[in-house]
Every structure is written in C-alpha cells, then in structure tokens.
Amino acid sequence: ENKVKGKFILTQKLDGSRILILKESGNVKCFSRQGQQIEGLNDIVEDVEKMNFDNGVIDGELLAIGEFKDSADGYKETMKRSRIKGDKTGLKVVAYDFIADINNFYKGRDNTSCYIRKMNLENLIRSSKTKFVEYLNPIYCGTDKEVIQEKLKEAIENNQEGLMLNLFDAPYECKRSKGLLKIKQFKDADVLVTDIVEGEGAMKGMTGALKCQFLYKGEVCDVEVGTGLKEEERIKIFNDPSLVVGKVITIKMFEVTKNSKTGKYSLRFPSFQGLDYVRLDKSSIDDTNVDD
C-alpha cells in the first residue's frame, strides 16, 4: 500500500509519449518507454548535446509544440509528428527527472532524493537556455494532502489528464515505484463512521480523524478519514460525536489499496466532504460502497 507521509511534490500529468534521453560520453540517444531507440529528434538531441553534463539520463514527455483544445488533441498531434520517418520537427521534451550518474540508471536505481534530482534538472535546463527541452515546474511542494484534491479538480476543469505525485525523498527506480503516483480522478465512497479520534498538538480538544469501516469483497475494512475536516467541523463533531458516529457518510477517495504485509484493504487519500454528506438513507455496514 502506497501511503503519502511527509513532504510530496505535485506536477501536471502530461499526455504525450514518455521519453528517456541518455547522454554517454557526450553522445546522445533517445529511447521510448519500451526501450526502442527514437531516431530523427535532431532539435532535441542538439539541445541535450550542448547541456552541461557528459553522462546522465533525462526522463520526460515528448510533446507536440503548440496550443491545443485539450490534452487528447495534443496527444494525437504528438503521435502524428513522432511517427514521421526522418527528421521529426515540431516536438519538444518537457523533462521532470534527471539521473546524474548513468551507471545508476543501468543498475535500475538512483538513491538521490527526488527533490534534489528535480533541482539539478531545473538548474541544468535554465543554465543551458534550451529551446526544445523544458523543465516541468511543480504545482505544489509540501505536506498538505488537501491540496491534492483541489489541484486535481483544477486540472480536470482545464481539460488536463490529472496529476503526478512524487514523494519528496523517493529514489529513482526503473520500474513501477511506490514513490510516484498517478492521480487521475477522485471517486465517491460511502463508509460507516464507527468512532472519532481526538487530534494531537494544535488539534487537541477537537476531532483529529473519523474511524470508518466499509465492506469490500465480503470483508469489513478499516480506514481513518482525517483530511477535509474544517476546524469548525472538528470542534462540532468532537463536542457531539453522534453527528457522524453510527452514520454512513459519502467521502472522496482515490482508490482501494491492499497492504502487502497484512492483506487488508483500505482507501488512498480519503477526504471528508462535510456534514451535508451524512447519508440519511443509509445506516449500516451493509449500506457502504467503495466500488473502484
């Protein structure tokens, strides 16, 4: 189960074609996600050749240059331009990761923290004044998980595909990584509130989280919902737990997760939507629903 603890970085999810640019002893080659070499990206290759490093890997997205109605139109144009034989023009790379030691890439892992890799990449691109290689600026960097839902809503309203979430200190791995999450769309889930948990520190004397249960694949599963509660709601519920305890509420969540150690199911990014989302038509664990 991937849990977001501590600091994280949010970036826009780009709807293009993944590209890895390897520079070895000054020699530049471009590869697809599947490891096939991409020929003809001369503008991009020339940009990377003049960048101030001799051995390393730039990870990013190949995108069509221009303004498009939405990400789907941009994706179609990217595919069209990238499939042309010979010199492929009208394309750029929006880069989001950098492995400074190519040997680490060949080993399949670079332990440099994500934020340092991004900082190194940004400095490299800024100082090189490239035309066809851009840096993907983060949307948010911090610990507030409530921002995830806000920024995802903005992305969807702007016809973008979603967000990517990097854990601040995560290594680079040449495989599916727990330090990198795709966030495409939040869903509704109905859960039963069984208890409240008092907050700690600044939230002492108010609700820190709601203990909840839901049925999934015939099992009763547990989840704590602490995100999304406004301060006045935290106080109100703490003073009168019956407002939610024993009631089914509709929350937002990203997906159902399974803990590899315990085999238990839970929910990723559960978020309280407010007291207006207490279900008057539902009352028991049998009424819960987390279809993903």
Side-chain angles (χ1 to χ4, degrees), residues 172-190:
Y172 182 96
E173 296 178 276
C174 298
K175 61 176 184 179
R176 192 180 178 98
S177 171
K178 290 184 178 180
L180 177 64
L181 298 173
K182 286 180 191 174
I183 302 173
K184 284 190 171 182
Q185 181 70 62
F186 278 86
K187 304 159 193 162
D188 285 339
D190 290 339

Side-chain angles (χ1 to χ4, degrees), residues 45-70:
V45 167
E46 284 170 22
D47 259 0
V48 178
E49 280 174 345
K50 68 185 183 189
M51 289 173 78
N52 190 26
F53 73 104
D54 284 325
N55 293 280
V57 180
I58 292 172
D59 194 347
E61 203 87 356
L62 188 65
L63 294 166
I65 296 169
E67 295 292 322
F68 303 97
K69 183 178 72 177
D70 53 28

Side-chain angles (χ1 to χ4, degrees), residues 19-35:
I19 186 169
L20 291 159
I21 307 171
L22 278 64
K23 190 174 186 182
E24 198 161 11
S25 302
N27 184 33
V28 177
K29 288 181 181 176
C30 302
F31 294 90
S32 70
R33 184 201 303 267
Q34 291 78 22

Side-chain angles (χ1 to χ4, degrees), residues 63-112:
L63 294 166
I65 296 169
E67 295 292 322
F68 303 97
K69 183 178 72 177
D70 53 28
S71 65
D73 266 18
Y75 177 77
K76 284 179 199 166
E77 192 58 32
T78 300
M79 293 302 104
K80 186 177 162 185
R81 295 179 194 181
S82 62
R83 284 177 183 143
I84 291 169
K85 288 182 179 176
D87 190 13
K88 298 172 173 61
T89 57
L91 292 161
K92 65 182 179 181
V93 170
V94 178
Y96 42 71
D97 216 328
F98 178 63
I99 298 94
D101 185 344
I102 200 165
N103 293 319
N104 288 337
F105 179 75
Y106 288 136
K107 288 173 191 170
R109 184 182 176 98
D110 185 327
N111 287 322
T112 309

Side-chain angles (χ1 to χ4, degrees), residues 88-152:
K88 298 172 173 61
T89 57
L91 292 161
K92 65 182 179 181
V93 170
V94 178
Y96 42 71
D97 216 328
F98 178 63
I99 298 94
D101 185 344
I102 200 165
N103 293 319
N104 288 337
F105 179 75
Y106 288 136
K107 288 173 191 170
R109 184 182 176 98
D110 185 327
N111 287 322
T112 309
S113 292
C114 176
Y115 80 97
I116 293 174
R117 298 196 311 272
K118 285 185 180 290
M119 191 171 61
N120 289 342
L121 176 64
E122 182 181 17
N123 291 337
L124 198 55
I125 291 172
R126 298 270 186 265
S127 63
S128 302
K129 294 186 171 71
T130 52
K131 281 176 69 180
F132 300 96
V133 181
E134 298 174 7
Y135 175 64
L136 180 63
N137 283 303
I139 298 167
Y140 174 80
C141 182
T143 58
D144 185 358
K145 287 193 268 191
E146 293 188 27
V147 172
I148 299 168
Q149 199 165 331
E150 290 167 21
K151 296 299 179 186
L152 179 65

Side-chain angles (χ1 to χ4, degrees), residues 193 195-200 202-211 224-245 272 275:
V193 183
D195 203 354
I196 65 166
V197 181
E198 185 176 357
E200 297 175 354
M203 284 199 284
K204 191 150 182 68
M206 60 178 89
T207 307
L210 308 178
K211 281 192 171 184
E224 281 196 10
V225 181
T227 299
L229 287 150
K230 298 184 178 74
E231 187 174 338
E232 59 268 29
E233 290 170 334
R234 292 182 187 279
I235 295 165
K236 199 171 180 180
I237 292 168
F238 188 75
N239 290 332
D240 184 4
S242 68
L243 289 167
V244 291
V245 174
F272 185 70
L275 289 167

